[in-house]
C-alpha cells in the first residue's frame, strides 16, 4: 500500500468506525469485545486489498458479514438469562426507550446466529431479501422463512416488544 492509499484507508477508518462498530455489535449479539474483534479483523482484511476496493464501506460490511457467519458455523449458540420483567405501567421516567433496547438486545442474543444475521441485515441494514441471500449464501426463500421464524421467536422470547411497539422499537401509528 502506498502513502496515498494508506492515508485514504486511515481517513475511512476514522470516519466510518463508529457506524461499523454499531453493526458489529448487532452482529455479535451485543458482545462488545467480539464486536471489536470482528471490526478489527474486517478492517485488517480490507487493508490488504485496499487498492482494489471500489466501495470501501460496502466491502468492509461484506467482510464483516462473512466473517461472522463463518464464526457462527464453527461455534454453538449459548443462551442467556430471561429478559427482565416489563416495567409497571405508570409515569414515563424517560427510561422506556432504554429498557426497550435492553430487552431487544437480550432477545436478539437468544436467537440463533443465522436468525440474528437475517434480522440485522433485513431490518437494521434495510437490505432486500435477494441481497441478504447473497451475503449469507442461501436462497431468497430461506431468507423469507428464516425471517418469519425469527420474528415469531423474537416475539415469544420478549412479548414486551409487542404493542405499542413494532419489533424494532418504532411506535406504531
Amino acid at each position: 500500500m502506498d502513502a496515498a492509499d494508506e492515508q485514504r484507508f486511515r481517513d475511512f477508518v476514522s470516519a466510518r468506525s463508529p457506524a461499523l462498530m454499531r453493526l458489529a455489535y448487532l452482529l455479535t449479539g451485543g458482545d462488545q469485545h467480539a464486536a471489536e474483534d470482528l471490526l478489527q479483523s474486517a478492517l485488517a482484511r480490507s487493508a490488504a486489498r485496499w487498492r482494489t476496493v471500489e466501495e470501501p464501506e460496502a466491502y468492509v460490511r461484506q467482510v464483516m458479514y462473512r466473517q461472522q457467519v463463518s464464526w457462527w458455523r464453527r461455534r454453538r449458540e449459548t443462551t442467556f438469562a430471561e429478559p427482565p420483567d416489563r416495567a409497571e405501567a405508570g409515569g414515563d421516567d424517560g427510561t422506556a426507550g432504554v429498557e426497550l433496547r435492553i430487552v431487544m438486545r437480550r432477545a436478539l442474543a437468544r436467537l440463533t446466529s443465522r436468525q440474528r444475521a437475517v434480522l440485522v441485515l433485513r431490518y437494521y441494514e434495510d437490505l432486500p431479501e435477494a441481497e441478504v441471500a447473497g451475503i449469507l449464501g442461501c436462497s431468497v426463500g430461506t431468507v423469507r422463512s428464516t425471517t418469519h421464524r425469527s420474528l415469531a421467536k423474537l416475539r415469544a422470547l420478549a412479548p414486551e416488544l409487542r404493542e405499542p411497539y413494532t419489533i424494532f422499537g418504532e411506535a406504531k401509528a
Side-chain angles (χ1 to χ4, degrees):
M1 186 181 314
D2 64 15
D5 285 334
E6 185 174 335
Q7 186 58 45
R8 192 172 68 108
F9 181 74
R10 287 178 188 267
D11 291 344
F12 170 78
V13 170
S14 173
R16 297 307 303 154
S17 284
L20 293 170
M21 186 61 196
R22 287 189 296 272
L23 173 63
Y25 187 79
L26 288 172
L27 288 173
T28 58
D31 184 338
Q32 181 72 27
H33 298 292
E36 291 168 358
D37 290 345
L38 176 63
L39 179 57
Q40 182 177 9
S41 177
L43 288 172
R45 286 181 184 234
S46 300
R49 300 189 187 278
W50 197 250
R51 281 188 174 174
T52 61
V53 174
E54 292 180 21
E55 297 287 333
E57 184 154 355
Y59 185 83
V60 173
R61 286 174 181 260
Q62 182 85 350
V63 170
M64 287 171 58
Y65 301 143
R66 291 192 175 172
Q67 283 185 304
Q68 191 62 18
V69 167
S70 294
W71 182 82
W72 290 328
R73 287 179 179 155
R74 291 188 305 265
R75 188 172 166 98
R76 292 253 181 229
E77 188 70 28
T78 58
T79 59
F80 294 88
E82 292 296 318
D85 291 336
R86 186 174 186 179
E88 294 298 318
D92 182 17
D93 60 359
T95 62
V98 173
E99 288 178 15
L100 185 62
R101 285 191 299 274
I102 290 170
V103 169
M104 183 64 176
R105 181 175 53 90
R106 287 184 178 163
L108 279 172
R110 294 186 64 205
L111 296 176
T112 67
S113 304
R114 188 179 229 16
Q115 289 173 327
R116 187 170 49 245
V118 167
L119 291 181
V120 167
L121 292 172
R122 284 287 292 131
Y123 297 107
Y124 181 76
E125 289 293 315
D126 198 26
L127 297 178
E129 291 168 338
E131 196 169 335
V132 173
I135 289 169
L136 298 178
C138 61
S139 70
V140 173
T142 299
V143 170
R144 287 180 184 154
S145 63
T146 302
T147 300
H148 176 74
R149 285 192 309 275
S150 302
L151 290 174
K153 186 172 180 183
L154 197 61
R155 287 181 185 109
L157 290 171
E160 56 270 31
L161 294 176
R162 293 185 188 184
E163 300 293 336
Y165 298 99
T166 64
I167 267 308
F168 283 88
E170 300 169 1
K172 283 190 172 184

